[in-house]
Amino acid sequence: MNKFDQIAESEEFKELKRSKNRFIWPIAILFFIYYLAFPLMAGYAKPLMSHFLFGNITFGYLYGLTFYFVAWALAGIYVVKAKSFDKKVEEITEKYFEKGAS
Amino acid sequence: MNLTYFLFFICIVVCTLIITYWAAKRSGTTSHFYVAAGSLSGLQNGMAIAGDYISAASFLGIIGTIALSGYDGFLYSIGFLVSYLIVLFLIAEPVHHLGKYSLGDVICSRFPNKNIRIVMGFGAFIISILYMIPQLVAAGLLIRLLLDIDYSVSVLIIGGLMTMYVVFGGMIATSWVQIIKTVVLMSGTFLLSLSVFSRFDWDVHRLITKVTEESVLGTSFFYPGHLFTSPWEVVSLQLALILGTAGLPHILIRLYTVSNRHEVRRSLMTSMGIIGFFYIMTLVLGLGTVALVGSTVLYASDPTGNLAAPLLANEIGGDFLLAFISAIAFTTIMAVVSGLVISATTAIAHDIYHHVFKKGNASEKEQLRVAQLAALGVGFISTMFALGLENMNVTFLVSLTFIVSASSNFPVLFLTIYWKRFNQSGVITGMICGLIASLTLLILGPQIMDPTHGWIRREAILPLNNPGIIAIPIGFLAAIIGTLFGQKQSEEQYAKFYLKAETNVTTRREH
């Protein structure tokens, strides 16, 4: 078994995979629902979407604009979180390649 | 043609040709030609992705749609940014780690098979060509309108330029054309947005009040329901947008032009910033057009609303600003079509020629020559199509590409990366059924079948303009059912594949 297979089979890597999945999927799925709710509400909840919240800004516009900020924020969170995953990958590979394969 | 316009256009053409000349001297290898040898920084690549992505249909069309249909136009514009979140979270890093030049590489790194190469190459080629033709037609019409040059002359100019960039400068020239486009587009729209606000003394409420007065829709301008009749139409469209981007070959190949995953993330962060900011500005410009130009004038000059940005520029800064905005629209089209030529070329020369015909044994020199010939061919074919389709309404082809990509490329890519049980038969059935379903449903829909102005003069069988909501599940289901009937792949193999997808350990350590 070469080192590559060892890493793929290792507990550390499986744990990393699990924690990555736990991070990615809930966000991806919740965001997807939050996003699809938007056109559905525009179709089925017209009074709410056309409701003027303050001055002449409707709920619908605010809801739409939140997507920009939420998308940027989530992207930022992903990048920060991905760095910590990188560190773990680094640790695992260091461990398996410590006798200098590279 | 007046002198201001002429100067702007000459300036752009000369700049881009200098870049191409400079790039041609550096691009001696296939790696340079296809992916700029991974030499771009995250920031540059992010700008190039935005340049690749924001088409003239967005720049001109979305502003017009917001101006004419109010809230529904805004609704439409949201999906463009949001789709990048899917790319970043689920697709980007695996694609970067697994592939070399094309999407075919990604799928074939798990399922090395000739038929899969053919299907993936074909899919990428079809999507790129379908996207390129409406861009070229729109470009021809736009240039004719703005510069008063004959349609066929303007199509030939654009087709010739884009082919030249790609054949001589490859991905390096294309990337820099896209970066320049992003800079010009963003500064132009930002300038316009600021001018709109300054006209209303920086008071948003005054702008909105003026919009209510000027729009034929009155206060209901801010309510949903002016463009989309059925909510399912919108859901369908948004689904195709959010999933389609994550399968667009010309966007995904841009993930190879940087050297590592940090730069991939930086690219996507940059492009999301730019794209988001751009679409927020389209809202301002749409409102500004209604307030300053008026929806009756806009509708009278072009019922599709595509002239919103030029009319607004003319109102704010006269002829000079109008010339500037026209030049921006021109650059926008150039950048997008060059990106498409590259991705169609990669599909033919790398996937089909190199991997299928030559079984991966073509020499470096031969590959490069074939790639250049393919680029020439792609440029020629799409230009010819664009010349022939002058009087056809082909704008629906733009939304078609998103649907085709969301129902064929995306399911296959997604399942390849994340589904342990997925196999070769799944890839083939998924790609083919997704492709056929989206094309058939579109033909049955009101874009093609229309009693008064359709290509087929009869009542549409399917009432949806955007059949994504049906086609995308068909793509997924076909891939899943195909898998269940096919051979099982060992779990161990998937574990290795997944390790490479997530960490890139093999190429970093063992090669």
Side-chain angles (χ1 to χ4, degrees):
Chain A
M1 207 185 202
N2 66 24
K3 286 177 176 166
F4 178 53
D5 291 328
Q6 281 174 14
I7 298 178
E9 298 285 310
S10 72
E11 263 320 301
E12 292 104 312
F13 181 67
K14 283 181 184 156
E15 176 54 38
L16 173 68
K17 185 177 161 185
R18 271 194 294 271
S19 59
K20 195 162 183 181
N21 284 341
R22 268 201 304 271
F23 166 68
I24 285 183
W25 293 105
I27 293 187
I29 291 166
L30 282 179
F31 185 79
F32 202 66
I33 295 170
Y34 163 61
Y35 174 66
L36 284 187
F38 180 53
L40 282 175
M41 278 170 67
Y44 290 112
K46 277 185 190 158
L48 171 66
M49 295 300 262
S50 318
H51 179 70
F52 285 90
L53 280 184
F54 41 85
N56 31 27
I57 308 226
T58 64
F59 177 79
Y61 272 96
L62 276 189
Y63 189 12
L65 285 175
T66 59
F67 281 100
Y68 289 99
F69 300 102
V70 171
W72 283 329
L74 287 177
I77 291 172
Y78 175 84
V79 170
V80 171
K81 194 80 182 163
K83 269 191 196 135
S84 75
F85 291 133
D86 285 350
K87 221 173 252 166
K88 276 193 195 136
V89 170
E90 210 51 49
E91 276 164 24
I92 296 172
T93 46
E94 283 302 313
K95 190 179 150 195
Y96 282 86
F97 286 93
E98 60 192 355
K99 295 215 172 86
S102 58
Chain B
M1 182 167 38
N2 99 24
L3 191 66
T4 327
Y5 289 83
F6 186 71
L7 288 177
F8 268 113
F9 277 81
I10 286 298
C11 177
I12 285 171
V13 171
V14 169
C15 277
T16 49
L17 287 179
I18 291 174
I19 289 173
T20 310
Y21 176 72
W22 167 79
K25 288 204 297 190
R26 308 173 124 213
S27 79
T29 67
T30 44
S31 174
H32 277 102
F33 183 86
Y34 289 127
V35 294
S39 63
L40 264 63
S41 75
L43 187 70
Q44 292 166 343
N45 198 38
M47 291 168 79
I49 291 177
D52 211 3
Y53 188 63
I54 302 171
S55 64
S58 282
F59 176 50
L60 301 171
I62 297 283
I63 296 175
T65 315
I66 291 175
L68 287 179
S69 314
Y71 188 76
D72 282 10
F74 172 63
L75 187 67
Y76 190 9
S77 69
I78 302 282
F80 291 101
L81 168 72
V82 164
S83 57
Y84 274 85
L85 213 56
I86 301 286
V87 178
L88 178 66
F89 268 67
L90 302 176
I91 302 289
E93 288 173 49
V95 166
H96 175 78
H97 291 152
L98 296 166
K100 196 173 164 206
Y101 300 148
S102 73
L103 275 188
D105 291 344
V106 178
I107 312 291
C108 287
S109 70
R110 185 168 170 195
F111 310 115
N113 176 296
K114 197 179 83 179
N115 294 333
I116 289 183
R117 274 279 173 199
I118 298 177
V119 173
M120 292 307 296
F122 181 71
F125 179 74
I126 288 285
I127 291 175
S128 307
I129 291 283
L130 282 180
Y131 202 18
M132 200 173 346
I133 291 169
Q135 302 280 345
L136 282 172
V137 173
L141 295 174
L142 179 81
I143 306 293
R144 178 175 70 183
L145 194 79
L146 294 171
L147 294 188
D148 204 21
I149 317 177
D150 193 50
Y151 174 83
S152 26
V153 176
S154 33
V155 168
L156 283 175
I157 292 176
I158 293 168
L161 279 174
M162 72 173 187
T163 314
M164 217 147 87
Y165 299 154
V166 176
V167 170
F168 296 111
M171 189 51 125
I172 301 178
T174 307
S175 302
W176 282 99
V177 169
Q178 289 168 345
I179 292 171
I180 291 185
K181 169 260 182 92
T182 301
V183 172
V184 181
L185 175 72
M186 292 306 283
S187 40
T189 39
F190 189 58
L191 190 75
L192 263 187
S193 306
L194 289 185
S195 326
V196 167
F197 279 128
S198 77
R199 282 286 187 101
F200 294 93
D201 298 326
W202 311 95
D203 183 351
V204 182
H205 290 291
R206 269 188 58 191
L207 168 66
I208 293 177
T209 318
K210 189 80 197 302
V211 169
T212 330
E213 285 162 16
E214 288 294 325
S215 170
V216 283
L217 300 170
T219 323
S220 80
F221 181 84
F222 297 101
Y223 302 161
H226 294 295
L227 178 64
F228 304 110
T229 39
S230 140
W232 294 104
E233 185 80 70
V234 198
V235 174
S236 189
L237 175 77
Q238 299 286 17
L239 214 56
L241 276 182
I242 190 174
L243 301 180
T245 306
L248 284 179
H250 70 290
I251 300 296
L252 295 182
I253 55 170
R254 293 230 58 101
L255 298 171
Y256 301 128
T257 53
V258 289
S259 56
N260 60 49
R261 58 170 172 260
H262 304 287
E263 299 298 321
V264 168
R265 288 174 206 144
R266 203 164 294 153
S267 315
L268 287 169
M269 284 298 281
T270 311
S271 57
M272 281 180 76
I274 295 172
I275 292 166
F277 190 50
F278 173 78
Y279 282 101
I280 291 180
M281 288 196 296
T282 59
L283 177 61
V284 175
L285 296 184
L287 296 181
T289 310
V290 179
L292 296 173
V293 179
S295 45
T296 6
V297 177
L298 174 61
Y299 190 82
S301 39
D302 182 11
T304 57
N306 278 338
L307 287 181
L311 284 173
L312 180 64
N314 194 27
E315 169 66 32
I316 286 175
D319 215 26
F320 183 79
L321 201 56
L322 175 58
F324 183 44
I325 292 296
S326 316
I328 291 176
F330 178 72
T331 328
T332 295
I333 294 167
M334 296 306 322
V336 176
V337 289
S338 320
L340 290 165
V341 173
I342 283 258
S343 79
T345 302
T346 311
I348 296 181
H350 177 67
D351 283 331
I352 306 287
Y353 181 80
H354 177 59
H355 279 286
V356 178
F357 281 161
K358 290 283 169 172
K359 302 191 170 56
N361 294 324
S363 73
E364 175 73 20
K365 213 174 146 191
E366 188 188 352
Q367 282 186 56
L368 188 63
R369 224 193 36 176
V370 170
Q372 286 174 321
L373 278 178
L376 197 65
V378 167
F380 181 76
I381 293 172
S382 45
T383 309
M384 287 302 121
F385 266 109
L387 283 178
L389 290 171
E390 179 183 355
N391 297 318
M392 295 285 204
N393 175 14
V394 287
T395 41
F396 68 86
L397 286 177
V398 174
S399 57
L400 172 68
T401 42
F402 279 89
I403 298 166
V404 172
S405 147
S407 48
S408 60
N409 268 350
F410 178 72
V412 166
L413 193 59
F414 180 81
L415 293 172
T416 301
I417 299 172
Y418 292 104
W419 195 25
K420 210 185 286 178
R421 177 85 170 73
F422 199 43
N423 61 23
Q424 306 192 357
S425 356
V427 175
I428 306 261
T429 50
M431 278 297 290
I432 292 179
C433 293
L435 211 63
I436 293 177
S438 41
L439 290 174
T440 321
L441 291 171
L442 193 94
I443 292 173
L444 298 180
Q447 306 264 24
I448 302 249
M449 287 191 179
D450 191 288
T452 51
H453 53 265
W455 289 10
I456 301 171
R457 298 272 154 99
R458 57 162 290 175
E459 205 59 54
I461 296 170
L462 185 83
L464 284 174
N465 275 307
N466 296 279
I469 200 165
I470 307 172
I472 297 167
I474 290 181
F476 269 101
L477 270 180
I480 291 170
I481 292 172
T483 304
L484 297 179
F485 280 105
Q487 265 182 349
K488 205 173 170 190
Q489 207 201 16
S490 79
E491 279 192 17
E492 200 182 305
Q493 249 174 319
Y494 178 72
K496 279 200 234 176
F497 168 83
Y498 187 82
L499 176 65
K500 184 167 180 349
E502 290 296 326
T503 66
N504 204 18
V505 163
T506 44
T507 51
R508 216 151 42 90
R509 299 280 180 163
E510 287 191 335
H511 285 194

